[in-house]
Amino acid sequence: MDYINAFWVGGLICALCQILMEKTKMMPGRIMVLLVCSGAVLSFLNVYEPFAKYAGAGASVPLLGFGHLLFKGVKDAIAEKGFLGLFTGGFKASAAGVSGALIFGYLASLVFKPKMKD
């Protein structure tokens, strides 16, 4: 049942983003920022944690999950280091994911030889 919940929740998030792209004039970058900020706000309101437990990877893999991760990292760092944690928490929490994306993106570019669009 975990796989089914992850599939339909992740699919619903993607479908809502696709509707935003098709029906509004919002650019994809702004929609991505909206998702990250929404994940952080939902985490602040203590709504995202139960949602993520229910949906699993369907909620943690999309950009909503990245916003939740940033908020959680900042919150934990503030509790540990005080005001300085406000500046370091998000970096520490997201370092592995961002590094992995950069490394695997670079390796993919070596394998597939990307070209500029005309």
Side-chain angles (χ1 to χ4, degrees):
M1 196 64 185
D2 291 339
Y3 294 120
I4 294 171
N5 289 337
F7 178 77
W8 79 263
V9 170
L12 182 65
I13 292 169
C14 292
L16 291 174
C17 291
Q18 188 65 39
I19 290 169
L20 273 175
M21 287 174 58
E22 298 289 329
K23 300 294 181 185
T24 67
K25 294 184 185 220
M26 289 180 73
M27 301 298 289
R30 290 186 181 185
I31 293 172
M32 293 186 334
V33 169
L34 178 70
L35 287 170
V36 172
C37 292
S38 298
V41 169
L42 290 173
S43 293
F44 174 74
L45 298 173
N46 291 324
V47 175
Y48 199 83
E49 193 69 37
F51 174 65
K53 285 185 182 188
Y54 173 75
S60 63
V61 171
L63 284 174
L64 284 170
F66 185 65
H68 169 67
L69 178 72
L70 289 175
F71 178 80
K72 192 173 172 184
V74 169
K75 183 177 148 186
D76 293 344
I78 288 174
E80 182 182 322
K81 298 178 183 176
F83 183 72
L84 188 61
L86 183 65
F87 303 105
T88 62
F91 292 116
K92 185 176 179 185
S94 64
V98 172
S99 297
L102 289 172
I103 290 167
F104 289 117
Y106 177 72
L107 293 174
S109 73
L110 292 176
V111 171
F112 295 107
K113 306 288 184 208
K115 299 175 191 148
M116 295 294 290
K117 282 188 168 182
D118 292 329

